[in-house]
Amino acid sequence: FHSIVAKFNINMLNRRKLIQPLTTLPLFGGLASTLTISTAMAAAKTPKRELFKEFGIRTFINAAGTLTYMTGSLMHDEVLDAINSTSKDFCLLDEVQDKVGEKIAKLVHSEAAVVTSGAFSGMTLALAGILTGKDEKKVAALPHIEYTGMKSEVICQKSHDIVYNHALTNTGCKIIQVETAEDVDKAVNERTALMHFLHIESDKGKIQHEEWVSLAKKHGIPTGIDIAADVPPVSNLWRFNDMGFDFVVISGGKAMRGPQSAGLLMGKKDLIAAARLHMPPRGGNIGRGMKINKEEIFGMYVALEKYINQDHDKEWKEWEMNIAHIEGAVKKIPGITTEIHVPPLGNHTPTLRITWDSEQIKVTDKQLREALRSGNPSIELGGGTANSVNVTVFMLKPGQEKIVAARIK
Ligand SMILES: *Cc1c(COP(=O)(O)O)cnc(C)c1O
């Protein structure tokens, strides 16, 4: 083994010597500071790669929002610093999750927490943990539930049963739709594993959060809630933990601006511990493909901490000013009407709707979008109708509101 290592090192050094004599020399002399300087010099000489250009990938100003297909959000510098600074050393993955999870739990008022690869995987892992507890045979059996004695049904309000429930059916469970409290009482049986709630659709359901939790408590069933896109307000981070949900999932790469591939699973201690049996570093489970690396875990933590501590009123005022700037640029144009609204659920941020009279202004929303998209710089807007578009500003970089205003005008 040693001779292989030695040979490897010599080969490496020879190669380096041939390629970059400057950087290898200090290795022999042990002059760490010289090494740092020469490495820095080498780095300075190499022009930064511009990968978007290299690949011919269009980048754009995001006046749409935190949409996965537009790559979510831009990570804060502090998040990137956390990613870079933790990428230079090895450590145990479980130790990172233990210690970071403990800190996150304190910040969000939950008993425990774990960084997952998004809110979706948080839902799968949480339900998997509920089904199996710490029984390793059951962990290995999922998603095949038959003849294992595991529960197999998740109760969910009809209006809450949207595409993301696939995260729950991934465990092998099926969804039982209900509408009223009476329906819940009838649906609960010995196979019921979970009562799941979707915050973003809460205005469309007949049963609200508190009632959902108390119905579940009455029947002794655990509860979960998906709040993936539901900060701001920041208080949502702890509101549902305080309310008594057994687990809460949120995306890390939406308004919190952590890694887009990260999210948080917060909840009861035993539930989180069981959920982690379904996660890497362990294999032989349904969550092995939901890996999250140490850099993302730290990045997510720093994003959360920054998000909680930031001045939310100040940020809101900036958003309002930017919306007002864009509105001001277009609202006097004949045929235009503007309206500012704040979606109460999901992407709760000032949004400008620009509507036009298609008799006076002969443009369709598709043509407007395409003109903005193909211009320089490229701009993406939010959804709308044939004669309206939505504009958000929470993903704009400082100053981009001026470009967006002028170009829409
Ligand atoms: C975005 C979203 C998800 C998925 O979250 P990821 O973090 O991308 O896994 C789930 N539910 C809702 C309501 C969402 O908006």
mmCIF file of all heavy atoms in Angstrom, residues 68 117-121 123 162 164 198 200 226 228-229 251-252 254 260 262, ligand 1:
data_model
loop_
_atom_site.group_PDB
_atom_site.id
_atom_site.type_symbol
_atom_site.label_atom_id
_atom_site.label_comp_id
_atom_site.label_asym_id
_atom_site.label_seq_id
_atom_site.Cartn_x
_atom_site.Cartn_y
_atom_site.Cartn_z
ATOM 1 N N THR A 68 -38.890 26.287 -10.405
ATOM 2 C CA THR A 68 -37.869 25.252 -10.556
ATOM 3 C C THR A 68 -37.317 25.222 -11.980
ATOM 4 O O THR A 68 -36.115 25.085 -12.184
ATOM 5 C CB THR A 68 -38.449 23.880 -10.161
ATOM 6 O OG1 THR A 68 -38.837 23.953 -8.781
ATOM 7 C CG2 THR A 68 -37.430 22.767 -10.330
ATOM 8 N N SER A 117 -33.021 16.741 0.256
ATOM 9 C CA SER A 117 -32.818 17.252 -1.102
ATOM 10 C C SER A 117 -34.141 17.819 -1.622
ATOM 11 O O SER A 117 -34.700 17.327 -2.590
ATOM 12 C CB SER A 117 -32.275 16.156 -2.007
ATOM 13 O OG SER A 117 -33.118 15.034 -1.974
ATOM 14 N N GLY A 118 -34.659 18.837 -0.934
ATOM 15 C CA GLY A 118 -35.889 19.498 -1.347
ATOM 16 C C GLY A 118 -37.073 19.096 -0.478
ATOM 17 O O GLY A 118 -37.022 18.127 0.291
ATOM 18 N N ALA A 119 -38.156 19.874 -0.611
ATOM 19 C CA ALA A 119 -39.363 19.614 0.169
ATOM 20 C C ALA A 119 -39.990 18.274 -0.230
ATOM 21 O O ALA A 119 -40.507 17.534 0.607
ATOM 22 C CB ALA A 119 -40.374 20.743 -0.049
ATOM 23 N N PHE A 120 -39.921 17.970 -1.523
ATOM 24 C CA PHE A 120 -40.515 16.730 -2.038
ATOM 25 C C PHE A 120 -39.892 15.517 -1.351
ATOM 26 O O PHE A 120 -40.591 14.642 -0.858
ATOM 27 C CB PHE A 120 -40.303 16.688 -3.556
ATOM 28 C CG PHE A 120 -41.033 15.586 -4.281
ATOM 29 C CD1 PHE A 120 -42.256 15.840 -4.883
ATOM 30 C CD2 PHE A 120 -40.481 14.323 -4.397
ATOM 31 C CE1 PHE A 120 -42.921 14.840 -5.586
ATOM 32 C CE2 PHE A 120 -41.140 13.315 -5.097
ATOM 33 C CZ PHE A 120 -42.364 13.574 -5.693
ATOM 34 N N SER A 121 -38.568 15.469 -1.302
ATOM 35 C CA SER A 121 -37.936 14.306 -0.671
ATOM 36 C C SER A 121 -38.214 14.307 0.824
ATOM 37 O O SER A 121 -38.326 13.249 1.438
ATOM 38 C CB SER A 121 -36.443 14.248 -0.981
ATOM 39 O OG SER A 121 -35.707 15.115 -0.176
ATOM 40 N N MET A 123 -41.003 15.010 2.178
ATOM 41 C CA MET A 123 -42.310 14.342 2.327
ATOM 42 C C MET A 123 -42.167 12.830 2.241
ATOM 43 O O MET A 123 -42.732 12.083 3.036
ATOM 44 C CB MET A 123 -43.284 14.830 1.231
ATOM 45 C CG MET A 123 -43.867 16.208 1.498
ATOM 46 S SD MET A 123 -44.662 16.939 0.032
ATOM 47 C CE MET A 123 -46.041 15.838 -0.251
ATOM 48 N N ILE A 162 -52.496 17.296 -4.967
ATOM 49 C CA ILE A 162 -51.913 17.770 -6.233
ATOM 50 C C ILE A 162 -50.672 16.934 -6.574
ATOM 51 O O ILE A 162 -50.359 15.971 -5.872
ATOM 52 C CB ILE A 162 -51.566 19.278 -6.159
ATOM 53 C CG1 ILE A 162 -50.473 19.541 -5.113
ATOM 54 C CG2 ILE A 162 -52.820 20.101 -5.860
ATOM 55 C CD1 ILE A 162 -49.817 20.895 -5.225
ATOM 56 N N TYR A 164 -47.589 17.010 -6.167
ATOM 57 C CA TYR A 164 -46.499 16.728 -5.218
ATOM 58 C C TYR A 164 -46.830 15.581 -4.261
ATOM 59 O O TYR A 164 -45.939 15.097 -3.561
ATOM 60 C CB TYR A 164 -46.122 17.991 -4.445
ATOM 61 C CG TYR A 164 -45.567 19.074 -5.343
ATOM 62 C CD1 TYR A 164 -46.240 20.272 -5.540
ATOM 63 C CD2 TYR A 164 -44.361 18.878 -6.012
ATOM 64 C CE1 TYR A 164 -45.738 21.255 -6.376
ATOM 65 C CE2 TYR A 164 -43.841 19.854 -6.852
ATOM 66 C CZ TYR A 164 -44.542 21.045 -7.027
ATOM 67 O OH TYR A 164 -44.033 22.000 -7.859
ATOM 68 N N LEU A 198 -51.765 20.597 2.735
ATOM 69 C CA LEU A 198 -50.999 21.401 1.772
ATOM 70 C C LEU A 198 -51.348 22.875 1.966
ATOM 71 O O LEU A 198 -52.440 23.320 1.593
ATOM 72 C CB LEU A 198 -51.320 20.952 0.337
ATOM 73 C CG LEU A 198 -50.679 21.748 -0.785
ATOM 74 C CD1 LEU A 198 -49.154 21.693 -0.705
ATOM 75 C CD2 LEU A 198 -51.151 21.235 -2.131
ATOM 76 N N ILE A 200 -50.493 25.719 0.612
ATOM 77 C CA ILE A 200 -50.744 26.617 -0.531
ATOM 78 C C ILE A 200 -52.183 26.480 -1.061
ATOM 79 O O ILE A 200 -52.705 27.394 -1.704
ATOM 80 C CB ILE A 200 -49.690 26.374 -1.651
ATOM 81 C CG1 ILE A 200 -49.547 27.599 -2.551
ATOM 82 C CG2 ILE A 200 -49.994 25.138 -2.459
ATOM 83 C CD1 ILE A 200 -48.342 27.552 -3.463
ATOM 84 N N ASP A 226 -47.057 20.498 3.953
ATOM 85 C CA ASP A 226 -46.149 20.964 2.904
ATOM 86 C C ASP A 226 -46.291 22.483 2.820
ATOM 87 O O ASP A 226 -47.361 22.991 2.469
ATOM 88 C CB ASP A 226 -46.558 20.295 1.578
ATOM 89 C CG ASP A 226 -45.825 20.846 0.359
ATOM 90 O OD1 ASP A 226 -45.004 21.761 0.507
ATOM 91 O OD2 ASP A 226 -46.105 20.349 -0.757
ATOM 92 N N ALA A 228 -43.855 24.254 1.073
ATOM 93 C CA ALA A 228 -42.668 24.403 0.212
ATOM 94 C C ALA A 228 -42.387 25.840 -0.222
ATOM 95 O O ALA A 228 -41.249 26.296 -0.169
ATOM 96 C CB ALA A 228 -42.796 23.505 -1.007
ATOM 97 N N ALA A 229 -43.412 26.552 -0.676
ATOM 98 C CA ALA A 229 -43.185 27.893 -1.255
ATOM 99 C C ALA A 229 -43.755 28.985 -0.344
ATOM 100 O O ALA A 229 -44.161 30.040 -0.812
ATOM 101 C CB ALA A 229 -43.836 27.964 -2.636
ATOM 102 N N SER A 251 -39.089 24.117 0.947
ATOM 103 C CA SER A 251 -37.993 24.155 -0.021
ATOM 104 C C SER A 251 -36.905 25.096 0.458
ATOM 105 O O SER A 251 -37.207 26.151 1.019
ATOM 106 C CB SER A 251 -38.490 24.672 -1.374
ATOM 107 O OG SER A 251 -39.436 23.807 -1.928
ATOM 108 N N GLY A 252 -35.668 24.749 0.179
ATOM 109 C CA GLY A 252 -34.551 25.613 0.556
ATOM 110 C C GLY A 252 -34.202 26.619 -0.524
ATOM 111 O O GLY A 252 -33.670 27.687 -0.247
ATOM 112 N N LYS A 254 -36.173 28.257 -2.719
ATOM 113 C CA LYS A 254 -37.147 29.244 -3.187
ATOM 114 C C LYS A 254 -36.792 30.560 -2.486
ATOM 115 O O LYS A 254 -35.653 30.978 -2.581
ATOM 116 C CB LYS A 254 -38.566 28.727 -2.943
ATOM 117 C CG LYS A 254 -38.864 27.514 -3.867
ATOM 118 C CD LYS A 254 -40.238 26.914 -3.689
ATOM 119 C CE LYS A 254 -40.427 25.723 -4.647
ATOM 120 N NZ LYS A 254 -41.637 24.941 -4.333
ATOM 121 N N GLN A 260 -30.770 25.132 -4.473
ATOM 122 C CA GLN A 260 -32.067 24.736 -5.017
ATOM 123 C C GLN A 260 -32.334 23.252 -4.796
ATOM 124 O O GLN A 260 -33.464 22.798 -4.789
ATOM 125 C CB GLN A 260 -32.175 25.054 -6.513
ATOM 126 C CG GLN A 260 -33.635 25.237 -6.908
ATOM 127 C CD GLN A 260 -33.945 24.900 -8.338
ATOM 128 O OE1 GLN A 260 -33.051 24.761 -9.173
ATOM 129 N NE2 GLN A 260 -35.214 24.776 -8.647
ATOM 130 N N ALA A 262 -31.851 21.725 -2.090
ATOM 131 C CA ALA A 262 -32.003 21.454 -0.652
ATOM 132 C C ALA A 262 -33.381 21.851 -0.140
ATOM 133 O O ALA A 262 -34.100 22.617 -0.766
ATOM 134 C CB ALA A 262 -30.921 22.187 0.135
HETATM 135 C C1 LIG B 1 -41.867 23.604 -4.966
HETATM 136 C C2 LIG B 1 -42.888 22.789 -4.293
HETATM 137 C C3 LIG B 1 -42.646 21.458 -3.903
HETATM 138 C C4 LIG B 1 -41.357 20.769 -4.249
HETATM 139 O O1 LIG B 1 -40.323 21.297 -3.494
HETATM 140 P P1 LIG B 1 -38.790 20.950 -3.826
HETATM 141 O O2 LIG B 1 -38.054 21.697 -2.766
HETATM 142 O O3 LIG B 1 -38.532 21.417 -5.199
HETATM 143 O O4 LIG B 1 -38.650 19.477 -3.678
HETATM 144 C C5 LIG B 1 -43.606 20.783 -3.188
HETATM 145 N N1 LIG B 1 -44.791 21.364 -2.889
HETATM 146 C C6 LIG B 1 -45.080 22.626 -3.269
HETATM 147 C C7 LIG B 1 -46.407 23.213 -2.907
HETATM 148 C C8 LIG B 1 -44.147 23.385 -3.989
HETATM 149 O O5 LIG B 1 -44.429 24.634 -4.356
#
